Amino acid sequence: MENVVLEKNASQVVEDKMLKYKKKKNIELYKSYRVFSFDLLFYYAIIYLFLSIEKGLTTAQILQFDAFYILFKSCVQIPSTIIIQKIGKRKSIVFASIILAIHMLFIIFAPNFNILLVSQFLCALGYTIKATCETDMLYDSIEHGEKRGSTFAKIDGKATARHYYIEAISAVIAGFLFVVNSYIPIVLSFLVLMWVAIISTKFEEIEVKQQKVRMSEQFRNLKYSFRNIFHSKRLISLLVFNCLMVSMIKIMQNLRNTVLLEIGMPEKYFGLIFAVLGIISGIATKNQDRIHKRYRNKTLTFLAFPTAISCLLLGIFLMFDINVRIIFPIVLILFTVQYTTKGPYYVLIKRYLNNFTNGEKRVKIATVNNLIENLVVSILIFGASSILNVLPIDIALIIIGGISTIGVVIVLDKMRYTVGLKPDEYSKKEIL
C-alpha cells in the first residue's frame, strides 16, 4: 500500500514538472509568436490602394469589405467555440493560422467583390478562433496569484508592442514595393501567415478537454453566458464601451487612406507614414501598464476622448482648402493621437474584462464580447459606409466624429459607478 502511494506521488511529481515545462514553453513561444500573429503584416499600409486600384472598389465598398468581415465574425462565433471545445486550444490556433493563410490567397486571386467576401469570411473564422483562445492559452500558462493579471498584461503588451515595430518596418517596405508591383506586399503577407502557422504547431496543450458538443448545447450555453454576464453592471459597461471604441478604431483605419489622398499625399509615401505611426503605437502599447497606473479608473477616458475628437477635427480641417504643407502636419498629429490610444486599448480592455474571473469564465466572456462587438461594430461601419455614399469625406468625418464624441460622453458618464472601483466596492454579482 505504501509503495502504491509512493508511486502515485512520484507520478504526480513528474506530471507537475511536465506541466510546468509546458507552461514555461508556451509563455516563451507566445512572446515571439504574438509579434507576428497579432495582426496582418505588409497589409494595412497598402490594402486600400490594392482594393481600389487592382480590384476596382469604391471607398464605400472598401468600408463594406471591412464591415462584412466583422459581421462574419459574429456569424462564426458559435462554430468557433465548438471547434475550440472539440479539438482544444492548441489545435484550434494551428487550424486558425492555416485558414488565415488561405484567406490571403483568395484576396490575391479574387476576380470580383463577392469572392473578396469569401476571403473575409475565412479571415473572420481564423481571427475569431484566435481571439477566443489565443490569449486564454497564455493565461492558462501563467501561475495563479495576485500578479497574474499584471504578468499577462506585461507579456502580451510587450509582444504586441514589438508587433507594431515590425509592422512599421513592413509598412515602409510594402509602400515602396507596391509602386514596383502591387501584388508583392500581399504575397509577403501570405508568407508571414504561413510562418505563423508553422510556429503555432510548437505550442503545448495545457488543458486537454475534448468534448462532444452540439449546436443546440452551444446556444443554451450562450444563453446562460449572456444571462450571467448581464447580471454584472461592470461587464455590461465594458462591453458597451468596447463596441463604441472598436467602431471608432475600425472606421478610422479605413478612412485614413482616403484622408491622405484627399490632401494630395503621393501614394508611395503611405507606407512610410504608417510605419512612423506604427512605431508610435508600439511605444504606447509597451507603456500600457504605465498608462493604467497613471490614470487608473480614468484610463478608458484618457483613451476614448482623444480618439473621438481627433476624428471630428479631421473633418473640420479637411473642409478648408489648406495647402498640403500645412494640412499634412495637422493630419499627422491627429493620426498620431489615434495610434497612441489604439495599441494600449486592445491590451487593457482584455485585462479589465478578465478581472475577477477564472479560465472557464474568461472563455464565456470572450465569446459574448466577440459576438456583441462584431455585430454592433459591423452595423456601425455599414452606417458609416452609407454616409460616405452620399457625402464627401470631410462632412462624413464631422458627422462620425460628432456622434462618436457624444457617445463617449454618455457611456463614460454611465460607467462612473460601475467600472474602476476597488474590489471590495463591487457586489458579489460582479465577481464571476
Side-chain angles (χ1 to χ4, degrees):
M1 184 69 178
E2 187 176 331
N3 290 334
V4 173
V5 173
L6 290 173
E7 286 179 4
K8 286 184 178 180
N9 289 337
S11 177
Q12 185 63 46
V13 169
V14 172
E15 288 181 7
D16 290 343
K17 286 185 176 180
M18 182 58 67
L19 181 61
K20 190 174 182 179
Y21 165 77
K22 288 181 177 180
K23 288 182 175 181
K24 184 178 180 181
K25 181 182 177 181
N26 282 353
I27 291 173
E28 293 303 315
L29 183 61
Y30 186 91
K31 292 176 182 178
S32 57
Y33 166 83
R34 188 68 164 170
V35 173
F36 296 96
S37 72
F38 178 74
D39 211 342
L40 300 172
L41 297 173
F42 299 100
Y43 182 83
Y44 292 108
I46 55 87
I47 188 59
Y48 179 94
L49 299 174
F50 181 83
L51 292 175
S52 61
I53 295 173
E54 294 297 333
K55 304 301 178 179
L57 303 189
T58 64
T59 300
Q61 283 180 315
I62 294 173
L63 204 55
Q64 291 169 16
F65 177 78
D66 200 41
F68 271 110
Y69 159 70
I70 298 171
L71 180 61
F72 289 148
K73 286 179 74 176
S74 289
C75 298
V76 301
Q77 183 61 62
I78 292 178
S80 297
T81 304
I82 292 176
I83 291 172
I84 294 168
Q85 292 183 335
K86 184 72 175 176
I87 67 177
K89 294 173 185 176
R90 176 193 170 274
K91 291 181 180 178
S92 295
I93 292 174
V94 174
F95 171 73
S97 299
I98 294 172
I99 288 294
L100 288 172
I102 294 173
H103 113 272
M104 196 60 69
L105 292 177
F106 273 86
I107 292 178
I108 293 172
F109 296 106
N112 54 51
F113 185 68
N114 291 333
I115 300 301
L116 283 170
L117 292 185
V118 175
S119 77
Q120 293 306 87
F121 176 82
L122 294 174
C123 188
L125 178 61
Y127 273 117
T128 299
I129 292 173
K130 284 159 69 73
T132 303
C133 65
E134 203 170 54
T135 54
D136 197 50
M137 175 175 276
L138 175 61
Y139 243 92
D140 289 339
S141 300
I142 300 173
E143 295 299 329
H144 290 264
E146 292 182 1
K147 296 183 178 181
R148 196 183 192 192
S150 60
T151 301
F152 165 81
K154 183 178 179 180
I155 295 172
D156 193 49
K158 189 175 291 185
T160 305
R162 288 173 180 168
H163 167 84
Y164 285 122
Y165 301 145
I166 298 296
E167 183 184 45
I169 297 171
S170 74
V172 174
I173 297 172
F176 286 107
L177 289 179
F178 185 85
V179 178
V180 178
N181 187 309
S182 57
Y183 279 88
I184 294 178
I186 303 297
V187 172
L188 289 176
S189 185
F190 164 74
L191 293 176
V192 172
L193 289 172
M194 286 299 298
W195 173 243
V196 169
I198 293 171
I199 296 176
S200 67
T201 61
K202 300 182 183 298
F203 278 114
E204 298 284 351
E205 189 71 75
I206 301 299
E207 296 182 3
V208 182
K209 293 183 179 179
Q210 297 184 1
Q211 307 174 20
K212 291 183 179 180
V213 290
R214 297 177 180 177
M215 189 72 76
S216 59
E217 292 177 358
Q218 285 303 308
F219 277 111
R220 192 180 305 114
N221 290 336
L222 185 63
K223 175 184 174 183
Y224 291 138
S225 296
F226 268 100
R227 182 182 300 171
N228 291 334
I229 290 171
F230 279 9
H231 283 159
S232 169
K233 292 181 180 179
R234 182 184 71 87
L235 284 177
I236 292 174
S237 297
L238 288 173
L239 292 174
V240 173
F241 179 88
N242 185 54
C243 288
L244 179 59
M245 187 69 178
V246 173
S247 296
M248 291 190 291
I249 292 172
K250 292 294 184 181
I251 290 171
M252 286 311 305
Q253 178 177 295
N254 285 279
L255 295 185
R256 288 188 195 105
N257 291 273
T258 308
V259 171
L260 291 176
L261 290 173
E262 186 73 15
I263 66 175
M265 182 58 56
E267 299 167 359
K268 64 181 180 180
Y269 296 122
F270 280 29
L272 183 59
I273 292 169
F274 289 117
V276 173
L277 293 171
I279 292 172
I280 292 170
S281 189
I283 294 171
T285 303
K286 187 176 181 179
N287 289 281
Q288 49 79 27
D289 195 48
R290 291 184 180 180
I291 294 173
H292 167 75
K293 290 178 180 178
R294 170 68 177 81
Y295 293 97
R296 292 295 178 180
N297 60 348
K298 296 186 182 297
T299 300
L300 295 180
T301 302
F302 171 77
L303 297 174
F305 263 124
T307 303
I309 294 173
S310 65
C311 178
L312 177 62
L313 291 176
L314 273 172
I316 293 173
F317 282 114
L318 286 180
M319 286 184 65
F320 303 99
D321 188 17
I322 305 174
N323 184 279
V324 66
R325 293 182 180 180
I326 300 175
I327 190 67
F328 175 65
I330 297 173
V331 168
L332 190 60
I333 290 171
L334 295 175
F335 282 179
T336 299
V337 170
Q338 295 169 6
Y339 269 77
T340 301
T341 58
K342 179 184 74 169
Y345 174 76
Y346 279 124
V347 177
L348 290 171
I349 192 63
K350 290 175 187 174
R351 176 176 179 173
Y352 299 153
L353 286 170
N354 288 335
N355 281 342
F356 317 121
T357 63
N358 55 32
E360 181 184 355
K361 299 298 182 182
R362 286 196 303 273
V363 172
K364 290 182 179 180
I365 291 171
T367 301
V368 172
N369 178 57
N370 292 338
L371 194 61
I372 294 175
E373 173 190 314
N374 296 328
L375 183 60
V376 174
V377 172
S378 64
I379 292 172
L380 294 177
I381 294 179
F382 275 121
S385 70
S386 299
I387 294 173
L388 278 168
N389 262 329
V390 296
L391 294 172
I393 183 67
D394 52 351
I395 303 300
L397 282 170
I398 291 174
I399 293 174
I400 294 169
I403 294 173
S404 298
T405 302
I406 294 171
V408 166
V409 171
I410 294 173
V411 173
L412 287 174
D413 182 63
K414 298 290 185 181
M415 290 173 65
R416 284 188 299 164
Y417 309 104
T418 57
V419 178
L421 307 179
K422 295 179 181 179
D424 57 355
E425 293 179 324
Y426 286 112
S427 66
K428 291 183 179 180
K429 291 189 291 185
E430 303 294 334
I431 311 299
L432 300 181

